[in-house]
């Protein structure tokens, strides 16, 4: 994913509209521009959720939409799991270990939960799924855990 300048064009809209409607794309572009505080045409790690951007150098608009498209209702579960796996696999080694998950949970829960509570919840979740805290999880393990009927990993794009 790149750091090239980005202006919304009809070509950009056509290229990404398999994931969102034209109205949603325009709304996403407005949000993208708000996040691109320096108006450079890409979102730096400081401008966006730095945890999610550990996997990229910066996002132009098309990259931004491609990333978010994994959470659209049109995306398949494997596409969604691919992005979630990349979020947890912060070092890019192809596996997620206990501490990777704890780090994401810490980012998501903040002071709402203590480290002990996070570890207890994660240990219980892993045990119920047939894993232990020593088990490195590969992408296939994520598919096994997340690919079940009724799981909704979707977002709605607010239309301004």
């Amino acid at each position: 994913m790149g750091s090239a300048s980005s202006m919304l064009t009809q070509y950009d809209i056509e290229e990404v509209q398999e994931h969102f409607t034209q109205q949603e794309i325009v709304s996403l572009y407005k949000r993208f521009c708000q996040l691109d505080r320096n108006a450079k045409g890409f979102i730096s790690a400081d401008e966006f959720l730095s945890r999610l951007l550990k996997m990229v150098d910066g996002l132009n608009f098309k990259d931004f939409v491609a990333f978010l498209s994994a959470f659209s209702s049109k995306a398949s579960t494997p596409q969604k799991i691919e992005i979630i796996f990349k979020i947890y696999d912060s070092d890019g080694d192809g596996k997620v270990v206990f501490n990777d998950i704890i780090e994401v949970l810490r980012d998501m829960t903040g002071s709402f939960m203590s480290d002990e509570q996070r570890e207890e919840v994660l240990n219980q979740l892993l045990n119920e799924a047939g894993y232990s805290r020593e088990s490195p999880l590969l992408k296939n393990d994520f598919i096994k855990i997340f690919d079940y009927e009724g799981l909704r990993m979707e977002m709605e794009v607010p239309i301004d």
Side-chain angles (χ1 to χ4, degrees), residues 51 88-91 93 95-106 114-127 131-138 142:
R51 170 69 200 171
Y88 282 90
D89 182 19
S90 60
D91 61 2
D93 67 354
K95 62 184 176 189
V96 174
V97 296
F98 188 83
N99 287 335
D100 293 334
I101 301 171
I102 287 293
E103 186 179 325
V104 172
L105 288 175
R106 189 176 293 119
S114 69
D115 284 338
E116 293 78 25
Q117 290 171 315
R118 281 187 275 275
E119 288 190 23
E120 183 180 326
V121 168
L122 183 54
N123 277 323
Q124 183 176 348
L125 176 72
L126 288 172
N127 286 334
Y131 299 95
S132 73
R133 73 182 289 147
E134 289 79 30
S135 305
L137 302 176
L138 305 176
F142 263 61

Side-chain angles (χ1 to χ4, degrees), residues 1-19:
M1 299 195 173
S3 57
S5 178
S6 177
M7 299 299 288
L8 185 61
T9 65
Q10 186 61 35
Y11 176 77
D12 291 334
I13 291 171
E14 290 169 3
E15 200 170 300
V16 297
Q17 75 185 111
E18 71 183 70
H19 304 290

Side-chain angles (χ1 to χ4, degrees), residues 7-63:
M7 299 299 288
L8 185 61
T9 65
Q10 186 61 35
Y11 176 77
D12 291 334
I13 291 171
E14 290 169 3
E15 200 170 300
V16 297
Q17 75 185 111
E18 71 183 70
H19 304 290
F20 297 102
T21 67
Q22 188 163 344
Q23 197 173 20
E24 289 173 326
I25 293 168
V26 170
S27 183
L28 284 171
Y29 185 72
K30 288 178 184 176
R31 181 64 184 132
F32 171 83
C33 289
Q34 290 171 345
L35 293 170
D36 180 17
R37 293 185 199 121
N38 296 326
K40 293 182 180 177
F42 68 94
I43 302 169
S44 71
D46 290 336
E47 294 168 324
F48 196 54
L49 303 171
S50 62
R51 170 69 200 171
L52 299 179
L53 287 181
K54 285 184 179 179
M55 66 180 125
V56 295
D57 215 2
L59 296 175
N60 64 27
F61 177 66
K62 289 189 288 188
D63 295 336

